[in-house]
Amino acid sequence: CLSDWSSDVCSSDLLAADPILIPFAARTARVLLTAYAVFLLLRLGLLSLAWMRTLRIRRAARRCGVSQPVENTWARCLRAFGLGRVELLASATVPGPLMAGAWRRSVIVPDSLLAETSEDVLTTAIGHELAHAKRHDFFVNVVCELLYIPISFNPVAWIMRRGIERTREMACDEMVTTRLLDPGAYARSMVSLAAGMTSPAHPGYTLGVFDGDILEERIRRLLRGRTANLQQARMLLVAGLSALAICAVVASGLALSARAQTAGRPEIVAGVQAFNRGDFQGAIPHFEAAVQLEPANLVAKLHLANAYVAVSMMPNARQQ
């Protein structure tokens, strides 16, 4: 309540509380904000298109009878990862095995894989995708992408996102080679799968065995026998995702305050100078002029209200 204000509160205190502003011309500010809004809409549009492609892939996939080798490998991989509610689907439109779905998790394999007889190749393809399902990577990846959009113009954010993708794939490799398959056989099977693919490895918004675009590095690490510890890989992924989340939060809190030099600013400065000299009656006309020039300027109204309080014009102060 303005009646409770102390008359010894000076207007310089209000100015000291003002945020630090970067002055822009109004047109420049509008151009910058418009460009950023268009950028965000473009990024959201690209993510939406990828999501729609994923939905089309899911709708085109079907349940079908599988050969005994595929059925045996599927059951063994489910037991190894302790999974139950994951469905195996087949599709003629996918180039390689994929995993999709946060709640209704599905592994989608190409029709050609259903005829595969090599147990190592089947274990590599199915095991890697079930490792994604076990780690809930689809849901985590969606969160990561949403956090990435507002700061995707920043090269550091791109590097962090890239690091998360690499660590995710290496963590899945570690799970498969720890629970299911020898690292050498796993590496050879990945090469065999890659050789049979004739289209992009990751259509839509899915997780595939060749995501991260680091196949050569992954194979080299597997053959050297120096794969990272699974716990360390998980910690790196969590750290990367946490850092990306912090960057998104900080970026949203550091909104750029772009404001043109206003017509009422000189009157506010003159009024503050008079107020600080103790000339309250002389300060009032300056503040009134600032309010008249900028009726929506709350700072000018607060200065004027403070000056009214100083000369005991309480009704006028309450009105302001």
Side-chain angles (χ1 to χ4, degrees):
C1 178
L2 288 175
S3 61
D4 295 330
W5 286 8
S6 173
S7 61
D8 63 349
V9 177
C10 68
S11 293
S12 62
D13 293 337
L14 291 175
L15 282 180
D18 287 351
I20 297 174
L21 300 177
I22 300 175
F24 284 108
R27 179 176 297 178
T28 303
R30 286 195 295 268
V31 169
L32 289 174
L33 293 175
T34 301
Y36 183 62
V38 171
F39 173 79
L40 290 181
L41 289 175
L42 178 61
R43 295 294 309 185
L44 286 170
L46 292 175
L47 184 60
S48 299
L49 287 175
W51 187 267
M52 286 188 289
R53 286 197 297 270
T54 302
L55 293 179
R56 286 198 294 269
I57 291 172
R58 285 285 297 268
R59 293 192 185 105
R62 67 194 186 283
R63 295 180 181 179
C64 60
V66 296
S67 63
Q68 194 63 40
V70 174
E71 184 177 351
N72 293 340
T73 302
W74 177 254
R76 186 163 67 92
C77 292
L78 287 177
R79 287 195 303 271
F81 292 120
L83 293 171
R85 299 181 60 184
V86 183
E87 57 182 347
L88 177 63
L89 305 175
S91 173
T93 62
V94 297
L98 304 170
M99 182 267 165
W103 290 274
R104 288 182 54 228
R105 293 172 292 178
S106 303
V107 173
I108 305 172
V109 298
D111 288 344
S112 58
L113 195 65
L114 296 178
E116 179 64 53
T117 57
S118 169
E119 184 178 350
D120 288 349
V121 172
L122 290 173
T123 301
T124 297
I126 295 174
H128 187 92
E129 301 313 313
L130 287 179
H132 281 306
K134 176 67 174 178
R135 291 161 38 83
H136 301 282
D137 279 339
F138 188 91
F139 174 76
V140 173
N141 207 35
V142 171
V143 174
C144 181
E145 288 296 318
L146 292 175
L147 291 172
Y148 175 68
I149 285 176
I151 54 174
S152 54
F153 58 87
N154 191 325
V156 176
W158 181 87
I159 293 172
M160 292 167 57
R161 177 173 175 262
R162 175 73 171 162
I164 290 173
E165 291 177 351
R166 292 160 59 95
T167 306
R168 180 183 67 221
E169 296 309 310
M170 291 179 183
C172 289
D173 292 344
E174 180 76 17
M175 292 179 70
V176 175
T177 55
T178 299
R179 305 186 187 192
L180 289 168
L181 199 60
D182 174 75
Y186 182 73
R188 290 190 296 271
S189 298
M190 281 203 297
V191 174
S192 177
L193 286 169
M197 296 176 62
T198 57
S199 56
H202 34 74
Y205 190 80
T206 55
L207 298 176
V209 70
F210 300 116
D211 284 358
D213 297 325
I214 53 168
L215 179 60
E216 182 181 353
E217 180 181 348
R218 290 165 61 192
I219 291 175
R220 189 165 56 244
R221 293 175 74 254
L222 288 165
L223 295 180
R224 283 202 309 258
R226 296 174 58 189
T227 53
N229 178 269
L230 178 58
Q231 186 66 27
Q232 183 182 13
R234 286 175 175 169
M235 291 176 64
L236 286 172
L237 179 59
V238 171
L241 184 59
S242 300
L244 187 58
I246 291 171
C247 285
V249 172
V250 171
S252 65
L254 295 178
L256 181 64
S257 299
R259 189 170 68 182
Q261 293 295 332
T262 58
R265 189 69 179 177
E267 294 290 352
I268 293 177
V269 172
V272 168
Q273 291 172 349
F275 189 99
N276 289 339
R277 292 195 306 267
D279 183 9
F280 306 131
Q281 292 289 355
I284 288 176
H286 289 293
F287 293 141
E288 288 177 337
V291 172
Q292 186 174 4
L293 288 169
E294 298 180 70
N297 192 327
L298 297 180
V299 174
K301 290 184 176 183
L302 286 173
H303 284 315
L304 179 55
N306 202 26
Y308 282 148
V309 170
V311 296
S312 301
M313 298 175 63
M314 300 308 297
N316 293 30
R318 290 193 185 93
Q319 183 181 5
Q320 292 304 314

